[in-house]
Amino acid sequence: MAEFMTETTPRPPGGPDAVPTARPGPAAPATAFPRPAPGGPGGAPAAAPDGHDAAVILDRARSYVDPELRSAVASLPSSLRRVAGYHFGWEHADGTPATGNAGKAIRPALVLAAAEAIGGARGRAAAARAAAAVELVHNFTLLHDDVMDRDTTRRHRPTVWTVFGDPDAILTGDALQALALRMLAEDPHPAAPAAAARLAACVVELCAGQQADTALESRAPHEVTLAEVLAVAEAKTGALLGCACAVGALYAGADEEEVRALDAFGRQAGMAFQLIDDVIGIWGDPERTGKPAGADLAARKKSLPVVAALTSGTPAAAELADLYARPHQEGEEERATVAVERAGGRDWAQSQAADRMAQAVHELSRAVPDPAAAGGLLALAEFVTRRTS
């Protein structure tokens, strides 16, 4: 699970003994890519070369992937198809057409950008089905996560389980995972078997991460370490972004070392993504995030900024631990938010996001030394650390 975590596990603010150091790795040498400079909510890499705009890349990914997704979902039995159509924003709950938000398409965009970085436009075109498979797996996890976390809002509308019930949400998620593996099994591309094996292994890692995350939520605040939540974040978020990049590389004919480096790039970018996601979960604008302000704190989620704050050894950490040790009371969100910030959780998460992106850019330079060829991946890396929702 931590195969590509080559830097030392960071210490939380003010907590010199809270976190043991992880396996150290060699310092990153100078590369063709500059080190990220802080910017946005968590720092971001240097701007991608001209002509690589994240919004354009994401829109293009949707144009490649949406037809594949719709075709796959259309093959489901009608009862499952209706639930999936609602989840993707294509239909209202009553089955009438909708023009909802189907997500940002970050993971399929990474598949296509990695394929293009190695194999050019031909590599990108060949990987459309694989990109859709990765997006199906991502949505399988969203459906299950919402049930387990009891989240009531996603993409500015009620979550599937609140509309159709737990069984339909779980079973539709299962069906999306099966569709993903079937798409790769039926793909005649020579890289499809290796991609399917990699995606299946990633699903196992995702499930292990979710299981560990669920176990952490039932433990007392003082019993959770920063090293543990970092490991969970890599398994739940870093693994699939790394897999997306590796699958794209496989479809472009990359060698083993290039695939490994792109997986490492995606994992580190995924860690930055999760750090910023957790920051947004506390301090984001509800009108942009689609979730109520303070929802993560009210649910007592042990997100990365929260655990960094809890393990900081500061007076604010003690206040936050006291809040987290008892059930949520209405109106406490602001107090908890202030405690996390005073204990250094927000600053730590933003600094860590910048450091993770620096490592991601280093890993990318190993696989794609030409910054122009890597421009799409760099643009997506910048996007995930500068986003606000």
Side-chain angles (χ1 to χ4, degrees):
M1 196 184 317
E3 180 181 357
F4 299 111
M5 294 178 68
T6 56
E7 57 191 323
T8 341
T9 300
R11 298 183 187 278
D17 301 316
V19 182
T21 55
R23 183 177 72 253
T31 72
F33 302 110
R35 179 182 175 84
D50 290 343
H52 293 280
D53 178 79
V56 173
I57 294 168
L58 292 169
D59 285 345
R60 184 175 64 189
R62 273 277 165 233
S63 71
Y64 274 85
V65 169
D66 273 357
E68 298 284 353
L69 290 177
R70 287 178 179 272
S71 177
V73 170
S75 71
L76 292 173
S78 59
S79 56
L80 293 171
R81 185 169 65 243
R82 178 182 171 193
V83 179
Y86 174 83
H87 170 72
F88 281 110
W90 303 332
E91 296 180 358
H92 297 294
D94 62 3
T96 57
T99 56
N101 175 17
K104 296 181 179 69
I106 291 169
R107 290 152 191 84
L110 285 170
V111 175
L112 299 173
E116 183 174 16
I118 299 292
R122 182 176 298 180
R124 181 183 70 227
R129 185 176 293 187
V134 169
E135 183 71 344
L136 285 168
V137 164
H138 172 54
N139 281 276
F140 137 69
T141 68
L142 296 182
L143 285 162
H144 284 204
D145 280 356
D146 286 343
V147 171
M148 285 183 276
D149 295 342
R150 309 316 284 173
D151 285 335
T152 58
T153 305
R154 180 172 295 282
R155 298 168 182 164
H156 303 274
R157 67 199 314 220
T159 46
V160 165
W161 72 267
T162 66
V163 176
F164 297 95
D166 289 357
D168 278 1
I170 293 168
L171 293 169
T172 302
D174 293 341
L176 295 186
Q177 182 194 171
L179 283 180
L181 294 176
R182 190 181 76 185
M183 288 182 76
L184 292 177
E186 295 176 348
D187 191 349
H189 193 285
R198 199 170 197 104
L199 190 57
C202 180
V203 169
V204 173
E205 187 173 354
L206 289 168
C207 292
Q210 179 65 18
Q211 184 182 41
D213 190 28
T214 302
L216 289 179
E217 293 302 326
S218 65
R219 286 161 52 183
H222 68 277
E223 296 176 343
V224 178
T225 69
L226 197 50
E228 288 177 307
V229 292
L230 284 166
V232 166
E234 184 178 4
K236 287 188 60 178
T237 304
L240 188 54
L241 270 69
C243 180
C245 295
V247 165
L250 286 169
Y251 267 70
D255 62 33
E256 184 177 344
E257 185 60 31
E258 291 169 332
V259 172
R260 188 179 297 114
L262 281 169
D263 189 312
F265 161 77
R267 282 177 180 259
Q268 293 295 341
M271 291 295 288
F273 179 99
Q274 188 60 58
L275 284 154
I276 296 307
D277 197 62
D278 285 355
V279 168
I280 292 169
I282 298 173
W283 291 279
D285 180 355
E287 291 188 4
R288 296 182 63 88
T289 64
K291 292 187 177 183
D296 286 357
L297 295 172
R300 300 297 190 245
K301 289 187 178 180
K302 297 182 179 72
S303 63
L304 288 161
V306 166
V307 176
L310 286 168
T311 55
S312 67
T314 62
E319 180 183 0
L320 182 63
D322 180 62
L323 288 171
Y324 260 57
R326 62 174 190 260
H328 168 69
Q329 297 178 18
E330 188 174 352
E332 283 185 339
E333 294 90 345
E334 184 175 355
R335 184 181 167 195
T337 300
V338 171
V340 175
E341 187 147 17
R342 285 176 49 222
R346 185 177 191 173
D347 288 343
W348 174 87
Q350 291 174 331
S351 175
Q352 263 296 293
D355 288 346
R356 294 288 179 169
M357 286 312 309
Q359 184 66 18
V361 171
H362 165 62
E363 296 290 355
L364 178 58
S365 71
R366 292 173 49 216
V368 191
D370 178 10
L377 289 168
L378 283 170
L380 291 171
E382 182 176 13
F383 171 80
V384 302
T385 53
R386 289 190 184 275
R387 66 199 181 90
T388 58
S389 64

